Amino acid sequence: MALWGGRFAADSSSMFRQVNDSLPFDRVMASQDIQGSIIWSRGLKKAGVLTDDEQAQLEAALTELKAQADAGTLDFDASPEEDIHSFVEAALIEKLGDIGRKLHTGRSRNDQVATDFRLWVREHVDSLKGDLVALIRSLLNTASRHQEAIIPGYTHLQRAQPIHFAHWCLAYVEMFKRDLSRLSDMQSRLNQCPLGSGALAGTTYPVDRETIAQELGFASPCLNSLDAVSDRDFVLELLFCASTSMMHMSRLAEDLIFYNSGEAGFLQLGDSVTSGSSLMPQKKNPDALELMRGKCGRVFGHLQALLVTMKGLPLAYNKDMQEDKEGAIDAVNQWHCCLCIAGEVLDSLSLNEDRCREAATQGYANATELADYLVGKGIPFRTGHDIAGQVVLKAIEAGCAIEALPLSDLQQVCDKIDEDVYPVLQLEFGVNQRNILGGTSKETVTKALYQELESLDKLG
Ligand code: ARG
């Protein structure tokens, strides 16, 4: 029978059940629900609602249920219950009879679900942080394997200036470090315990909310009962963290898809993260990367969906809020899988350093070096920029690189250009000139790489 059966004469329609029941998805919170109940029973004992013996029986039965939940042996499919809270309570009543019926004293499913979902999110955030650290490790290892490699850096997807490949890896390390710190920030806001807020107005039983919060690992109890049962900011923050990190991964994916293309040819992906074509025997497609990019759609969608669901909801609890779970559960799964597969892709890739170098040398990516060289000769940068542009035009007409033009051709454009320009136009020169903090020189990148490797153990 439903938890609320007393007031009702007729049964729910089967379509209502289909729309209303959340057990098919909120079963993922079984362990958290039971843990919350164990701590609540202790709170009731301390408040004088349960005897020592009653609480001991409840805790023993709940502990047994929790072991089953953790082992995945609870039979949800055969259950007529509408959600995980009624499922656990029904299982308890079946084991203990009237003692089981005492557990819900002073509690509502409203403060219960708000507590369970916070616990669930908190645990998953912990493991997602581990996934992020693992991906950062893969990026650092990839950078370490290719410390000499130089690739073209792009703006507007036009070759702009050459950069170390490790510098590219470290750019993504920065993004995933921010994703990590965003998760830590949201965890600190999430870490308040709603239990004791009742349906909306608080409870009449003198439970010790501080101890309950502490025993569930929360920093403190929520301070307002109305807010405690109505707030789903922590789910929105999780979805925002997931969306931002997926966006970062989609950019990583897009870069690698391009580097892997026949046109760029900078790298090959491992067989374990690519697939073939049913028709074209030669194909090796970057499916893992395309899916990292593609799955952004649904994750961003979950964020948007919950924002719209929450918009304009009157205080306090409304059943609309049950819609908070499926999207969040899916977002967490997709994000977890994408973080793991991104690491596998990086671990599998082999960089064609010669081809990278060739591409970095082409495309007049050393034109800025020429302009800077002219600045060194006392020419204002804007004028130097113009002269370098004219030299590029000359080289394009001659069908060669700037450094392949004879000095006489260069001097036709500007007589300040001398023999000493040629070393400046070499690939390594321009790259290693960018020796400033955050720049792409060998020295800066190596230093940054070792700093990141050192601090990796402190992350998460
Ligand atoms: N399954 C519900 C949810 O996820 C639990 C809370 C139900 N509360 C209520 N008053 N019907 O939101």
Side-chain angles (χ1 to χ4, degrees), residues 22 26 82-83 85 108-110 113 232 317 319 321-322 324-325:
S22 54
D26 67 12
E82 68 178 65
D83 61 22
H85 324 293
S108 157
R109 281 183 295 163
N110 299 351
V113 73
R232 293 295 181 272
Y317 178 83
K319 200 59 171 275
M321 288 156 66
Q322 181 167 284
D324 61 355
K325 288 176 204 67

Side-chain angles (χ1 to χ4, degrees), residues 150-152 154 157 159 254-268 350-360 362:
I150 295 177
I151 60 171
Y154 296 84
L157 209 49
R159 273 171 236 174
E254 176 59 22
D255 274 350
L256 290 175
I257 289 168
F258 169 60
Y259 295 166
N260 176 240
S261 68
E263 281 62 30
F266 298 168
L267 52 84
Q268 266 102 47
S350 66
L351 198 66
N352 183 345
E353 295 195 17
D354 291 343
R355 170 63 197 136
C356 291
R357 189 181 175 83
E358 184 190 14
Q362 293 164 349

